[in-house]
Amino acid sequence: MEIIRADFYATCFGVDRALKITNDALKSENELFCYGELIHNNDVMENLERKGLHIVNDLKDLKDSNLVIRSHGVGHSVYDYCMKNNIRIIDATCPKVRRIHGIVRQQCEAGYDIIIFGNKNHPEIEGIKGWCENSVYIYSDLNEYKTNHKHDEKKTCIVFQTTYHINKYNEIKEYFYSLNNNAIIVKDTVCRATELRQEAARKLAVVCDSVLVIGGKQSSNTKKLYEICKELCENTHWLENSDKIPYDLIKNSKKIGITAGASTPLEIVEEVIVNVRTK
Ligand code: SF4
């Protein structure tokens, strides 16, 4: 049996960085709070909670404490609130998300309205919105924009959620370039980490008899990897860790593919591989 890893898999740079910042802080602090789940992975979260990390969903529960900001980032008001309430911030906002905060802030100062393409319920979008002083509009795709947007005459800067689909981004960019409207600026803020993992999953699934997709059940990017692989390789399975390996279903496979979502640490992937090899 051959085990083949996807060319790109497991945690991205931003999630790795957030985990390192949090683990380092937990070495000197007995208790830390995190605004929402740090990453969508139960094993990792349970481990961090054992070390002293607590999840809060409402900042009003905090005072005189330490707060981790996760990689999705937050709006300006969270920093203001923490400053007023003596809450020390341990900032794990991904630099690629922070760049978007800087862009929208600067463009608002220059008099631009902001359009964000992405999922309006995602915390990253909430955070970006929180740095916009001028009008901000959020659309999931070009159709929604064309149907609803009535402010074409205004100076507008367009940004994208970091995990926005690259093909949709290209479609939107081409559309606005074709308008030849100098009042509209399109900024490429898409992070290629998700796209690279999805392309690698496609490449993997077509050459394997079975694929193991490793990642938390709440992780939307892991779900997407699972769907991609399942479409190309029927014997694809989604598991959270090595306790859930479907040995019976993969035992006759000559080539087993391995991929993992952007919130799955490498250690969990390696543990699965060792278990598959030694069983
Ligand atoms: S997917 Fe990209 S933007 Fe999001 S945390 Fe990872 S590196 Fe940062």
Side-chain angles (χ1 to χ4, degrees):
M1 168 222 300
E2 185 186 356
I3 292 183
I4 307 175
R5 297 160 199 252
D7 290 342
F8 296 93
Y9 63 98
T11 44
C12 60
F13 146 79
V15 171
D16 270 341
R17 182 176 171 276
L19 285 170
K20 182 170 183 336
I21 288 172
T22 308
N23 275 306
D24 285 352
L26 283 166
K27 285 178 191 155
S28 55
E29 301 291 344
N30 293 331
E31 190 174 64
L32 283 187
F33 294 88
C34 185
Y35 195 27
E37 267 199 336
L38 187 69
I39 64 171
H40 295 310
N41 187 291
N42 287 339
D43 291 348
V44 176
M45 287 311 298
E46 279 166 23
N47 186 25
L48 288 170
E49 280 165 26
R50 274 195 295 275
K51 291 182 187 172
L53 185 75
H54 307 286
I55 308 301
V56 283
N57 294 310
D58 192 343
L59 289 182
K60 292 192 188 80
D61 300 339
L62 294 182
K63 214 163 191 171
D64 306 325
S65 41
N66 299 303
L67 180 72
V68 177
I69 306 280
R70 57 193 175 163
S71 57
H72 301 313
V74 291
H76 195 264
S77 61
V78 173
Y79 291 86
D80 292 345
Y81 182 89
C82 290
M83 183 104 83
K84 279 187 202 133
N85 290 281
N86 199 26
I87 298 168
R88 183 170 77 98
I89 285 184
I90 296 152
D91 200 342
T93 305
C94 178
K96 295 184 182 195
V97 176
R98 190 191 303 285
R99 174 176 166 256
I100 307 179
H101 296 170
I103 290 172
V104 296
R105 191 180 189 177
Q106 219 174 31
Q107 297 302 332
C108 283
E109 277 168 14
Y112 284 78
D113 284 353
I114 304 294
I115 291 176
I116 311 170
F117 280 98
N119 173 357
K120 45 174 80 76
N121 299 318
H122 195 282
E124 181 187 318
I125 299 294
E126 264 307 303
I128 296 170
K129 219 170 97 184
W131 291 89
C132 299
E133 295 290 327
N134 302 346
S135 300
V136 52
Y137 308 93
I138 302 162
Y139 300 114
S140 58
D141 55 26
L142 196 52
N143 274 344
E144 198 186 354
Y145 164 84
K146 285 182 182 171
T147 313
N148 297 296
H149 200 72
K150 310 284 181 231
H151 312 276
D152 285 339
E153 75 296 346
K154 297 191 73 182
K155 288 203 308 184
T156 304
C157 172
I158 297 171
V159 296
F160 300 81
Q161 186 174 348
T162 51
T163 48
Y164 203 70
H165 196 288
I166 195 74
N167 294 347
K168 282 177 155 187
Y169 158 74
N170 283 328
E171 180 198 9
I172 291 166
K173 183 182 70 178
E174 293 308 323
Y175 171 77
F176 283 106
Y177 282 1
S178 74
L179 296 182
N180 218 1
N181 180 349
N182 289 336
I184 297 177
I185 306 173
V186 180
K187 295 280 187 185
D188 177 358
T189 57
V190 178
C191 168
R192 302 303 192 265
T194 310
E195 188 59 22
L196 285 173
R197 278 156 186 70
Q198 291 178 5
E199 271 170 23
R202 258 179 222 111
K203 208 172 121 193
L204 180 76
V206 292
V207 297
C208 291
D209 313 307
S210 58
V211 178
L212 300 180
V213 181
I214 308 159
K217 291 289 179 185
Q218 329 85 305
S219 159
S220 53
N221 74 81
T222 306
K223 180 169 182 253
K224 185 73 195 160
L225 291 179
Y226 170 74
E227 288 166 357
I228 288 170
C229 293
K230 186 77 179 168
E231 207 180 308
L232 299 165
C233 173
E234 177 51 33
N235 198 15
T236 289
H237 308 280
W238 179 358
L239 51 145
E240 295 200 84
N241 54 41
S242 59
D243 295 342
K244 306 276 165 44
I245 299 169
Y247 293 107
D248 280 352
L249 301 173
I250 59 171
K251 65 181 180 207
N252 295 325
S253 302
K254 289 199 172 68
K255 290 182 178 178
I256 300 177
I258 302 282
T259 184
S263 49
T264 311
L266 272 181
E267 306 87 79
I268 293 180
V269 179
E270 292 308 322
E271 212 176 289
V272 169
I273 292 174
V274 168
N275 278 274
V276 170
R277 276 215 174 101
T278 51
K279 181 80 178 176

